[in-house]
Structures are given as structure tokens and as C-alpha cells.
Amino acid sequence: MESVSDAKYTGLIKRIGKWTMILGIANAVFYLLHDIIGGLNYPGYNWMEQAVSDLTAVDSPAREIAKIFTGLHGKCSIITCVLLCIMVKYVRKPLRVGIYLFTAMHTISNVGYDLFPLTGKGYDGTFQSFMHVYVITIAVVVLSIASLIVIAVGSFRDQRKKLGILALVFLGCMFFGAVGSGALPKAVFGIVERFSTYSAVIFTAVLGVYWYIRFDGEKKAA
């Protein structure tokens, strides 16, 4: 028999479940729009060669318009992750920890990069660029890798094989972007770099959709 607290939790999940899917998808859409519209408002910008972060650099001509969409993306991604933290209350600990780490990564990424943006020239030795490159970026990279590994392990242990495989796929994309952007020709730097930047964004959407569908399926089966 379901306890009162469990019934309240189930009711809460029913109310917020759809929002994880809607906001998760919106997070990816707004990030894509910042890339597309930002590029259209940046004279001479070559998305195949340049980093996506160039669009929101402090000296970028597209900064104002691009920041509108990255701001919306950031809010959607953080809210999605917070809702996921509520939805995974009763899953096994490894998977819960993975979602918590993923939430921390998004929070640090959105707050940190907003406080310490780079110029289009990259690292210039200032405190602002030091914080961007050696504090925020390292924290985001470490948390991204750790969260995806823990989510993958936790998913397999929790009999959620599909989610575990997806976590490993996006982890692979992240590594490819990180390694390939330094190893491959400059002519494709922007393309390869986007494997890293988009991996966390799209995986957030995947988590939102997956958890809504999974919970809805489990609820009907029960």
C-alpha cells in the first residue's frame, strides 16, 4: 500500500514530469538558436573554423543577441536538472549522484561563463581569462566527464540500459570534441569543438525526455 508521502511524491512527479521534457528540449533549441542567430549577426564568422564561445565573447558583435538565447538556454537547463533531481529521489544512489553532478556542472557553467567571459582572442593573462580557462572550464570538464560516467554506471546498475548507452555515446562525443579540436586541422575546429559543447546540451534534453517517458511507462505498468 502506497504511503501518504509516496502518494504526494507521485502526484508531484505527475505535475512536473512534462516540464522536464519541455524545458529539456527548449534548452537545446535555445542553444542552437544562439549558434545560428549569433552567427548571422557576426560579420565574417565561420562556424566551421571558430568556437561557438566566440559568439558571446566580450568583444563579439553578436554578443547582445547571442546572450539572449544563451540566457534562456541556461535557465531551461538548470531548471530541467533541478526537476530531474526531484524525479530521481528513489532511484539507486549512483544514478542520483550522477544527476546531481550533472546539475552542478550546468550551474557552474552558466553562472561562471556569464561572470568571466573571454575576448574573441582567447586567453590573455587577465584574471577574467584565468578564471574562465583554468577555473570554470576545468570544473565544467571534470564535472561533465564524472557525471556522464556515474550516470552510465548507475543506469546499468539500475537496469536502465538505454540511458547508460546514451550517456556513454555523449561521453564519447565530448572526448572526440576535446581531443579532435586540438589534433585536427583548424579548418574544421568549429565543427569538432561543437561535439563537446553540444554533447551536454543535447544530453540534458535526452534526460528530460527519457525520464518523462520512463516514469510514465512505469506508472502505467504499475
Side-chain angles (χ1 to χ4, degrees):
M1 183 176 179
E2 188 177 43
S3 67
V4 174
S5 60
D6 286 345
K8 289 182 178 179
Y9 174 71
T10 301
L12 175 64
I13 295 301
K14 289 179 182 179
R15 291 193 294 273
I16 69 174
K18 289 183 179 179
W19 284 106
T20 62
M21 178 173 63
I22 293 170
L23 293 173
I25 294 173
N27 126 85
V29 170
F30 285 129
Y31 193 83
L32 179 62
L33 287 174
H34 120 268
D35 197 357
I36 295 173
I37 297 176
L40 292 174
N41 285 272
Y42 192 128
Y45 182 79
N46 187 338
W47 71 273
M48 295 178 66
E49 296 182 2
Q50 291 180 256
V52 69
S53 59
D54 286 357
L55 297 171
T56 51
V58 293
D59 54 352
S60 167
R63 177 176 170 80
E64 295 303 317
I65 184 68
K67 285 291 291 180
I68 293 174
F69 294 104
T70 55
L72 292 170
H73 146 72
K75 291 178 176 62
C76 288
S77 63
I78 292 174
I79 295 172
T80 299
C81 288
V82 170
L83 294 178
L84 284 169
C85 288
I86 298 172
M87 295 186 76
V88 300
K89 180 181 178 181
Y90 290 138
V91 302
R92 294 182 181 179
K93 188 175 181 179
L95 184 51
R96 274 189 289 121
V97 171
I99 297 297
Y100 297 159
L101 290 173
F102 197 69
T103 302
M105 179 277 295
H106 266 302
T107 304
I108 292 173
S109 175
N110 284 287
V111 175
Y113 286 136
D114 191 52
L115 290 174
F116 303 103
L118 276 179
T119 65
K121 297 178 181 179
Y123 183 77
D124 59 8
T126 63
F127 175 74
Q128 179 169 306
S129 62
F130 174 82
M131 290 295 295
H132 183 105
V133 175
Y134 292 108
V135 178
I136 306 303
T137 297
I138 290 177
V140 168
V141 169
V142 170
L143 285 170
S144 296
I145 294 172
S147 63
L148 287 174
I149 291 174
V150 176
I151 287 173
V153 172
S155 296
F156 286 119
R157 290 185 61 181
D158 205 35
Q159 303 302 312
R160 301 174 189 271
K161 185 178 179 180
K162 290 181 180 178
L163 182 59
I165 292 173
L166 286 170
L168 292 177
V169 168
F170 283 98
L171 179 63
C173 289
M174 191 175 293
F175 273 116
F176 173 72
V179 176
S181 58
L184 295 176
K186 186 179 178 181
V188 295
F189 172 83
I191 297 175
V192 179
E193 186 255 1
R194 279 168 171 77
F195 274 85
S196 289
T197 56
Y198 273 91
S199 57
V201 173
I202 298 176
F203 189 63
T204 304
V206 168
L207 284 174
V209 173
Y210 172 86
W211 225 270
Y212 170 70
I213 293 174
R214 180 65 186 244
F215 176 81
D216 192 54
E218 289 174 348
K219 179 182 66 177
K220 290 176 180 178

